[in-house]
């Protein structure tokens, strides 16, 4: 058995997902990208921001965290 402090790294192979969004959402995402650039002084494309936004959303959803832990929705 290996006794390293660092565990084996998870699979980091990117998966490409294509979605279609409504114009209103595209406008809001573009506005968010502009706000991001204003806040951090670095422009990032919407396609770069969306994965981080989705991760932040999932990380902040407490009910989903419970579901991930138990495999069933809390009642």
């Amino acid at each position: 058995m290996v006794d390293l402090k660092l565990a084996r790294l998870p699979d980091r192979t990117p998966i490409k997902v294509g979605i279609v969004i409504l114009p209103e959402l595209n406008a809001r995402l573009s506005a968010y990208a502009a706000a991001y650039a204003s806040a951090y002084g670095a422009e990032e494309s919407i396609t770069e921001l969306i994965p981080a936004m989705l991760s932040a959303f999932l990380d902040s959803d407490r009910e989903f965290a419970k579901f991930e832990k138990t495999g069933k929705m809390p009642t």
Side-chain angles (χ1 to χ4, degrees):
M1 177 182 234
V2 178
D3 193 24
L4 297 176
K5 291 278 185 188
L6 181 64
R8 184 178 187 149
L9 296 176
D11 183 6
R12 297 175 315 282
T13 305
I15 308 294
K16 185 172 183 167
V17 177
I19 63 168
V20 177
I21 60 174
L22 297 174
E24 180 182 302
L25 179 55
N26 187 60
R28 293 184 74 202
L29 288 170
S30 294
Y32 191 92
Y36 180 94
S38 177
Y40 296 112
E43 289 188 23
E44 297 288 348
S45 69
I46 294 171
T47 57
E48 291 293 324
L49 292 174
I50 289 173
M53 294 167 80
L54 289 172
S55 289
F57 173 81
L58 292 174
D59 290 346
S60 68
D61 190 320
R62 291 182 181 184
E63 293 299 310
F64 180 66
K66 293 174 188 174
F67 175 78
E68 277 192 308
K69 191 178 268 189
T70 64
K72 56 186 170 187
M73 286 302 293
T75 54

